Amino acid sequence: MFIVHSDSVVKVNRDTPPNYNQSNPLLKLLNLMERAQLAAEREYYLMGQTQYLFPYEWLSLYGPAGNDPDILDPERQDDKLDFQKQNIRDFRSTDTFLIRGLVRVGNWIGPFLRISYRGGPDSKLSVAANHKLGEKIKLWVKVGNVATPSLISVPYNPVSDRYEVELWGYPNGDLQNQLDTKGRKAIDRLELQVRTDLVRGNVSAFNREGLNGRRIEDIDPSSTMHPVLPLHIELAWADFSEKIWDSQNGANYHYEFNMIVRGWENYLETGISPNPHGGVGFLEYRNLMSNYGGKSQKNELGRGLNAWNLSAFSTKVHGNGYEPFFAVDYMDLHLLKPGCGIGLHRHRDNQEMFLMMDGQGFMVIGDWCKMDQRERCFEIRTLHAGHFAMLKGGNLHALMNSTDQDISLFMCGGYD
């Protein structure tokens, strides 16, 4: 990963601190999520399992507070007690966004993937086509290790002012008869397409029964909604004639749903231990993360160090090595009131964990640095009680309580 120095860092006068109640970037991001359309009525979707990926091309951050307002280079911002330097001021999204999740049709529950492209005249493809894209454009896409053999037609959606296609993994041939009017019209105009070659898996593969002692990563690894494995998506856009392309100069765009979420439904292994540690009865366990035994090579709890990182021992003299542990500088309990949110902010150095104890909220984890796996993105999921989200150095994150109830959190990790 590397720091994107084309981002801007804005100097803040100590006498005029930022007004976070005006033009807040977290609310701007959630507005993008709220405006996103789906092909069928929402009753078909398990909305609590829906996940969003909003790529962006530029960030603006606030500079340090206190005595360091002139230190605008993030590599030199080493004061762990200054939280203002982490805060996101604004962002600019790209032409594409993606949604994945689960839908229910009769007794079947399975995955979908929605891919959306900006319809306005300022999109890269529209500019390249001299603003003559028409009613459909085309998409080349590779989901996991399976690429479409021919380009997919993507119709214009006047409701969202975007070109959008939604791919379902429905295995039967009667989907049109199972859907509402909105869904049937989406099929007719090719906004909703059944593509079991690209969108795969069935949630029944991960039913708790029969999983004792099995590695969850080995179960249905090609599932579009695998509970722990990332989903990589490579794509490129073309006009309908397939002569004009938005393909990042042939490199294509790379996206990945990869938020680290673990809990009752997202775990590495589960089982039942009789007489645990010489006790009585039985213990049902879920292994969420491990640095020992057969999982010692995963290194999920560790972090790599770059030249600009402070180590767990607050030094930059570390040889750009690797810390094979999760360093904890604090443990907190938090209550987040309805309509309140922890703002978008970046972590240069340290890892952090948010455990939802009660309630649910929209968890955002994204890329402050450019990561190898994907274009820089904001990833949004609903974080449910009994689950935690973990971020690494180079990430940014936020949490919003959009419910009418308090949510309670346990948080731990390192200060930046």
Side-chain angles (χ1 to χ4, degrees):
M1 67 178 178
F2 59 87
I3 295 175
V4 180
H5 288 286
S6 58
D7 290 344
S8 67
V9 181
V10 177
K11 181 178 177 179
V12 179
N13 189 313
R14 71 177 63 185
D15 298 323
T16 55
N19 180 1
Y20 296 112
N21 292 319
Q22 184 175 9
S23 301
N24 190 285
L26 174 58
L27 298 182
K28 175 181 176 179
L29 176 61
L30 294 177
N31 182 252
L32 294 179
M33 183 186 71
E34 291 169 356
R35 285 162 41 199
Q37 300 292 310
L38 295 169
E41 295 292 351
R42 290 193 172 231
E43 65 193 58
Y44 289 92
Y45 299 84
L46 280 64
M47 294 305 299
Q49 304 299 322
T50 305
Q51 304 169 17
Y52 303 81
L53 209 59
F54 291 102
Y56 63 90
E57 60 188 9
W58 170 83
L59 280 178
S60 176
L61 296 94
Y62 289 107
N67 297 321
D68 299 324
D70 295 318
I71 301 179
L72 302 184
D73 181 357
E75 296 189 22
R76 298 174 50 235
Q77 294 175 347
D78 297 337
D79 183 358
K80 286 175 174 274
L81 299 180
D82 176 16
F83 300 113
Q84 180 177 285
K85 71 182 187 303
Q86 298 175 258
N87 295 340
I88 307 301
R89 177 175 172 268
D90 198 6
F91 66 90
R92 185 168 59 243
S93 57
T94 68
D95 294 328
T96 300
F97 72 76
L98 303 92
I99 307 174
R100 71 167 178 172
L102 295 173
V103 286
R104 178 188 287 111
V105 180
N107 295 323
W108 177 83
I109 298 176
F112 78 91
L113 175 65
R114 186 174 181 87
I115 307 175
S116 177
Y117 191 81
R118 194 194 315 269
D122 56 342
S123 75
K124 290 183 178 180
L125 190 60
S126 178
V127 171
N130 197 23
H131 311 298
K132 297 177 180 178
L133 289 182
E135 291 300 310
K136 291 185 177 71
I137 61 174
K138 291 192 176 181
L139 167 69
W140 178 88
V141 63
K142 182 179 181 181
V143 182
N145 60 2
V146 179
T148 178
S150 58
L151 272 62
I152 296 172
S153 291
V154 181
Y156 175 73
N157 182 353
V159 176
S160 61
D161 188 25
R162 303 183 67 87
Y163 294 92
E164 299 185 296
V165 65
E166 192 166 302
L167 310 175
W168 286 29
Y170 185 68
N172 303 321
D174 61 344
L175 182 59
Q176 189 147 20
N177 296 332
Q178 297 285 343
L179 293 182
D180 58 341
T181 300
K182 180 181 178 183
R184 291 194 297 270
K185 289 182 177 179
I187 291 176
D188 290 341
R189 65 174 178 269
L190 299 180
E191 179 186 346
L192 198 166
Q193 302 182 30
V194 173
R195 293 301 299 259
T196 54
D197 56 331
L198 297 172
V199 179
R200 295 173 288 174
N202 194 310
V203 294
S204 63
F206 303 100
N207 287 346
R208 172 64 185 86
E209 297 79 8
L211 296 183
N212 284 351
R214 300 177 63 189
R215 285 168 42 93
I216 302 302
E217 294 158 301
D218 296 337
I219 299 172
D220 198 10
S222 63
S223 172
T224 301
M225 285 293 288
H226 196 281
V228 293
L229 293 178
L231 178 69
H232 191 86
I233 299 165
E234 179 182 353
L235 61 81
W237 299 96
D239 72 338
F240 197 74
S241 71
E242 303 181 18
K243 295 179 180 178
I244 300 172
W245 286 81
D246 177 9
S247 64
Q248 201 158 219
N249 297 318
N252 297 333
Y253 293 95
H254 292 261
Y255 306 107
E256 192 169 278
F257 290 91
N258 62 17
M259 186 185 296
I260 301 173
V261 173
R262 300 291 161 81
W264 289 113
E265 305 299 329
N266 306 74
Y267 47 86
L268 300 178
E269 190 175 309
T270 186
I272 296 175
S273 297
N275 303 107
H277 283 285
V280 296
F282 298 87
L283 174 75
E284 181 173 341
Y285 68 88
R286 281 164 172 76
N287 178 227
L288 306 182
M289 285 186 165
S290 297
N291 266 5
Y292 63 90
K295 305 180 184 72
S296 60
Q297 300 303 312
K298 289 181 63 64
N299 293 323
E300 283 191 302
L301 288 167
R303 62 167 180 152
L305 296 171
N306 296 283
W308 65 81
N309 289 133
L310 290 167
S311 74
F313 307 100
S314 297
T315 177
K316 290 185 175 180
V317 183
H318 46 59
N320 295 5
Y322 190 86
E323 290 179 350
F325 53 83
F326 180 82
V328 175
D329 289 328
Y330 80 94
M331 295 183 180
D332 285 351
L333 291 174
H334 293 267
L335 284 176
L336 193 60
K337 294 291 184 179
C340 297
I342 299 170
L344 284 168
H345 63 284
R346 58 88 172 163
H347 280 242
R348 187 191 71 178
D349 298 329
N350 289 299
Q351 305 180 97
E352 195 168 38
M353 184 193 76
F354 278 37
L355 170 64
M356 184 68 67
M357 299 173 63
D358 190 34
Q360 65 180 42
F362 288 121
M363 188 74 208
V364 182
I365 293 183
D367 314 301
W368 169 58
C369 288
K370 174 64 179 72
M371 306 295 180
D372 294 337
Q373 310 94 299
R374 66 183 186 183
E375 319 303 323
R376 291 199 297 172
C377 295
F378 299 110
E379 186 171 351
I380 307 176
R381 300 190 187 188
T382 300
L383 189 62
H384 299 277
H387 294 74
F388 70 79
M390 181 180 180
L391 69 141
K392 303 282 188 177
N395 284 152
L396 52 78
H397 68 139
L399 178 69
M400 184 71 192
N401 181 3
S402 295
T403 74
D404 58 1
Q405 303 288 327
D406 291 356
I407 61 177
S408 58
L409 300 159
F410 169 73
M411 294 165 51
C412 66
Y415 287 125
D416 258 34

